[in-house]
Amino acid sequence: MRIHCTLNGAPREIDVDPLDRALDVLRRLGFTGTKEGCGEGECGACTVLLDGAPVNACLVIASQVDGCRVTTIEGLAQSGDLAPVQRAFIERGATQCGICTPGMLLSADYLLSEVRATDARPDESGRFDVDAMRAWAATGADREPSHAGGVLDAAVEREIRTCLAGNICRCTGYDSIVRAVKDAVRETMAKAIQASK
Amino acid sequence: MTEFFKPSTLAEALAILRDRQDRPPRPIAGGTDLMLELRDPVRRARINAVVDIWQLSELRRIVEDSGVLRIGALATFSDLIANLLVRRAAPMLAEISRAIGGIQIQNRGTVGGNIGTGSPAGDTLPVLLAHDAEIVLASTAGERSVRARDFYTGYRSSVRRPDELIAAVRIPRRRANFAHHRKVGTRRAQAISKVLVAMRGERRGDGAFDEIAIGIGSVAATPVRAANVEALVTAHRGPWDEAALTALQLELARDIHPIDDLRSTARYRSTVTFNILRRALIGARA
């Protein structure tokens, strides 16, 4: 079948077997930043954003990509400018072997998009405790939070770890990843607070 | 070659199922379970056709009507987490959805898929049992509802006929001033349950229960309602002393039949299930 989607901002028509894995379709098209780890939805290495939300590309059939907006790691930087999470990962050295990095970045970027989302959905409430993140950012929290970083710091860290729970880093470099995402949350939240003034 | 159908309406999907009852196709929603079968050549060979139902928006609605919460089968775990009707009427269902997989799985996995796969470790199933929920099955002949406790007939098998699709789950409004659930897994995210207990009931000021419903997962070939434990608990008066707890343990042994497998042992599962119940009941009196 032929599917239509918006892939990293560009409209695409792709011929697929409807039961192909989205992962294979993307890699065939050259988007090899989408990694195959376990192939069964455990590790998150193949995470892509489907209509803005993280999914395991190894579990999504090509048929269901029809009509969707797909973002792979190749589409995270906008016209050459790295996304806030990408800059934060570089600054914090939050990579080791790198296999989990594309998926980690896309999941973290989803957290930032939830932080930025201001449009209230009347019959739904958000998944993350954005209020705690806002309060934390407003305190001008220390850039090097100690382990005794306080209640808000713990709340923010919990939200980040929840968001990244489906991405496994077998080098176990989680601490620097969480620190990097904290930096990106702080930056994004500061901008949102600034914009609302 | 696996045949593939992509109906654009529920009626069309049901007609496909009606016409192929001799070689029933497998419905696919978010794919978090079926994709594991499709990638395995041996298991894939047994799947002659797949019907993609993900786009059937009529199966995605969550509505409340005359005291019954009706959750469309295609509601994802993320939908259950976010939806205010679910959070109000069935908070345990929203909370347990947070403990399923990670966000990627929660965005694709559906309540209907959890029911349809029917694994004894399906995490929403004990909660549905504790709510005395009904599962709505649709066919070209119309809808019928089956109580969740009557739905499974054995390991991963149910009363669903090959021409039927799981359309929704109905959660009746029932008074409950006590609710408790506990999932026991190796880690908090991305872990299949070793044991999951969900309890819901109405208790009096003195701690005695007028009503209680207990659903338990991963302790038998199907998710179970602990009917013998329930009867004991509602008949029980006074403190949960040693004699009462021994009786509880005996009734529990009649309700659950855990096995040793790669995730846990029968003994561990029995002990942990008993401990969860004991703590919840003792705590409920305090």
Side-chain angles (χ1 to χ4, degrees), chain B residues 3 15 23 26 33 68 89 113 197 233 240 243 267 282:
Chain B
E3 259 192 284
R23 52 210 150 95
R26 297 285 297 275
D33 283 327
V68 177
V197 178
V233 170
W240 286 97
R267 186 160 165 242
I282 290 173

Side-chain angles (χ1 to χ4, degrees), chain A residues 1-8 10-18 20-22 24-29 31 62-63 65-68 70:
Chain A
M1 72 183 278
R2 172 162 294 193
I3 60 169
H4 301 258
C5 63
T6 306
L7 181 48
N8 294 333
R12 297 288 286 252
E13 280 182 31
I14 313 166
D15 285 312
V16 297
D17 180 312
D20 278 348
R21 304 184 299 176
D24 297 319
V25 174
L26 291 169
R27 290 184 61 86
R28 274 205 301 272
L29 292 171
F31 296 95
S63 154
V65 176
D66 190 34
C68 291
V70 185

Side-chain angles (χ1 to χ4, degrees), chain A residues 136 142-155 157 161 174-176 178-179 182:
Chain A
W136 171 80
D142 203 346
R143 278 191 65 81
E144 287 293 343
S146 70
H147 283 293
V151 177
L152 284 175
D153 198 61
E157 188 158 328
R161 287 185 185 271
Y174 294 104
D175 280 357
S176 52
V178 171
R179 274 197 289 273
K182 268 185 173 173

